[in-house]
């Protein structure tokens, strides 16, 4: 931490800061410049926070040097992590050496629709399936998901296909039942800052897919991951899914630069959801190509056998020729950036 004094700060003002810092066991290194004095602090940053140094006379600014997130930071864990998802024998990696293609319906609507969507996904090369049994809808009148029945459908489709399942949990009271049926728990954009829910999934014993809040900064997103890690779960995968901007041509603006930025700050894997970012199917393939090129560790994409009948997000669901061109991109591009298909690395 660095304390920057104002140009008119007195020697007493500087000494007051030094005394406060040393009183809590820290060390203070004073450096006098021509117009300003700065004081470098070494020690326990949390105890410095308690001093409210910014409120002292002569203090202009207090800046932190280290990341506010610890467990998920690369400062403490330089090697990038791989998160394994699924039961032994079906485990799929998400990490720096592989590219993980995840696909499935936005929502579980029926056993037939889910199985068809997942078979389409598998034929296109997906190695993990998605599908929401609990849907966080903007309108309380919209389809809210099948709940436990949806979880049972997902578990039976996993049985049929051998593909690990990621599904969203929207309420801390449902964490146990979702963890019982799924291989990975998804926290959606609307719940990224639901700290009680983050703590609950941190204790659920399953990997977590943490989507970026649509209005969250990268630092807020990594602090949300820290909540999960702090409860003992470091199997967290981050997902960039677009942020809210002034641009109405897409549902959200995919922040592609977030991928390398997050990878430089955190050891956690990061994947991209081009479907929820764009909201329209025509952008899903180009955005997936961009995600692969920028170094994402995977993509998660909506597919549906009959988008015109979908109960949720039909306009962004892929099928037919679009899904075939996504399959081609996911087959051809990852090797050009040094990655192998996660399916070949199952364990
Ligand atoms: C989803 O993946 O089904 C979903 C609702 O995504 P998001 O939280 O990113 O909107
Ligand atoms: Mn959706």
């Amino acid at each position: 931490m660095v304390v920057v004094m104002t140009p008119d700060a007195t020697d007493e003002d500087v000494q007051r800061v030094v005394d406060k810092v040393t009183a809590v066991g820290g060390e203070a290194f004073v450096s006098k410049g021509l117009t300003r004095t700065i004081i470098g602090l070494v020690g326990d940053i949390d105890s410095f926070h308690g001093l409210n140094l910014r409120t002292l006379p002569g203090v202009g600014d207090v800046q932190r040097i280290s990341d506010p997130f610890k467990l998920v930071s690369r400062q403490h864990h330089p090697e990038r992590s791989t998160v394994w998802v699924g039961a032994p024998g079906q485990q799929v990696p998400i990490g720096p050496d592989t590219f993980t293609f995840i696909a499935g319906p936005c929502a579980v609507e029926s056993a037939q629709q889910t199985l068809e969507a997942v078979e389409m996904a598998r034929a296109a090369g997906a190695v993990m399936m998605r599908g929401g049994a609990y849907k966080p809808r903007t309108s309380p009148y919209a389809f809210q998901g099948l709940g436990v029945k949806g979880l049972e459908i997902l578990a039976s489709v996993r049985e049929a296909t051998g593909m690990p399942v990621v599904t969203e949990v929207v309420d801390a009271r449902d964490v146990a039942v979702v963890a019982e049926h799924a291989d990975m728990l998804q926290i959606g954009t609307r719940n990224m800052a639901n700290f009680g829910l983050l703590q609950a999934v941190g204790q659920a014993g399953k990997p977590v897919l943490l989507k970026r809040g649509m209005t969250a900064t990268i630092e807020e997103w990594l602090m949300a991951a820290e909540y999960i890690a702090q409860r003992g779960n470091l199997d967290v995968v981050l997902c960039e899914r677009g942020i809210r901007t002034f641009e109405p041509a897409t549902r959200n603006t995919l922040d592609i630069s977030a991928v390398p930025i997050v990878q430089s700050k955190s050891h956690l894997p990061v994947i991209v959801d081009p479907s929820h970012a764009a909201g329209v199917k025509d952008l899903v393939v180009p955005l997936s190509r961009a995600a692969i090129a920028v170094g994402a560790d995977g993509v998660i994409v909506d597919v549906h056998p009959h988008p015109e009948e979908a109960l949720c997000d039909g306009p962004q669901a892929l099928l037919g020729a679009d899904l075939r061109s996504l399959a081609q991109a996911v087959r051809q591009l990852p090797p050009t950036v040094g990655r192998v298909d996660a399916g070949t690395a199952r364990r």
Side-chain angles (χ1 to χ4, degrees):
M1 225 174 198
V2 173
V3 178
V4 183
M5 304 302 288
T6 57
D8 61 357
T10 64
D11 288 347
E12 290 74 49
D13 293 338
V14 172
Q15 194 57 46
R16 194 178 297 109
V17 172
V18 172
D19 289 346
K20 288 219 169 232
V21 168
T22 48
V24 295
E27 286 181 280
F29 298 91
V30 177
S31 165
K32 278 192 199 302
L34 278 182
T35 54
R36 281 174 192 269
T37 296
I38 63 171
I39 309 172
L41 311 190
V42 177
D44 174 21
I45 198 149
D46 293 326
S47 67
F48 300 153
H49 277 305
L51 298 175
N52 287 322
L53 295 173
R54 247 193 206 93
T55 64
L56 297 181
V59 171
D61 197 10
V62 178
Q63 294 164 5
R64 55 181 307 154
I65 308 284
S66 56
D67 293 331
F69 40 88
K70 300 182 173 75
L71 300 169
V72 307
S73 170
R74 272 190 100 163
Q75 286 181 340
H76 304 280
H77 188 302
E79 287 288 301
R80 295 203 55 224
S81 297
T82 296
V83 171
W84 290 86
V85 184
Q90 301 178 338
Q91 276 193 315
V92 168
I94 307 178
D97 304 322
T98 47
F99 186 81
T100 309
F101 178 21
I102 308 168
C106 177
V108 175
E109 300 166 15
S110 69
Q112 177 67 17
Q113 166 261 5
T114 304
L115 183 61
E116 274 183 57
V118 173
E119 289 294 6
M120 286 164 57
R122 185 160 68 152
V127 296
M128 249 182 87
M129 60 187 259
R130 62 150 290 145
Y134 295 89
K135 296 305 300 177
R137 304 306 297 277
T138 304
S139 166
Y141 306 112
F143 175 59
Q144 303 285 311
L146 297 180
V148 174
K149 174 87 188 109
L151 295 175
E152 287 166 1
I153 291 172
L154 288 169
S156 73
V157 173
R158 173 186 46 209
E159 192 81 6
T161 62
M163 289 162 83
V165 177
V166 56
T167 194
E168 181 162 355
V169 55
V170 299
D171 189 316
R173 290 169 295 191
D174 299 325
V175 167
V177 70
V178 176
E180 212 176 283
H181 291 82
D183 301 291
M184 183 179 219
L185 309 183
Q186 176 173 319
I187 298 293
T189 190
R190 292 160 188 82
N191 273 310
M192 185 214 80
N194 182 339
F195 301 118
L197 183 59
L198 297 176
Q199 288 171 330
V201 298
Q203 291 166 189
K206 288 278 163 84
V208 176
L209 182 64
L210 177 62
K211 290 193 149 193
R212 180 181 183 178
M214 64 181 93
T215 59
T217 63
I218 289 171
E219 185 169 301
E220 287 164 342
W221 184 18
L222 293 174
M223 290 304 282
E226 187 80 9
Y227 262 93
I228 301 169
Q230 193 250 351
R231 288 293 161 126
N233 188 354
L234 269 165
D235 286 333
V236 180
V237 174
L238 300 160
C239 178
E240 163 60 41
R241 51 77 67 205
I243 51 176
R244 242 190 206 181
T245 69
F246 51 81
E247 176 53 64
T250 47
R251 185 153 94 174
N252 294 104
T253 300
L254 181 65
D255 183 7
I256 200 79
S257 45
V259 174
I261 293 171
V262 163
Q263 289 173 343
S264 71
K265 290 179 177 294
S266 173
H267 57 88
L268 299 178
V270 53
I271 68 170
V272 166
D273 179 344
S275 307
H276 287 84
V280 287
K281 72 175 173 47
D282 290 352
L283 292 178
V284 172
V285 176
L287 293 181
S288 298
R289 291 196 191 107
I292 299 167
V294 84
D297 302 314
V299 288
I300 180 165
V301 173
D302 282 10
V303 299
H304 197 292
H306 308 286
E308 71 287 356
E309 290 167 14
L311 297 180
C312 185
D313 288 345
Q316 72 198 29
L318 295 190
L319 80 167
D322 293 318
L323 187 54
R324 282 194 293 279
S325 57
L326 178 66
Q328 190 180 27
V330 163
R331 213 172 36 244
Q332 292 178 344
L333 299 181
T336 68
V337 290
R339 289 173 185 267
V340 300
D341 176 359
T344 65
R346 274 197 193 90
R347 69 178 191 193

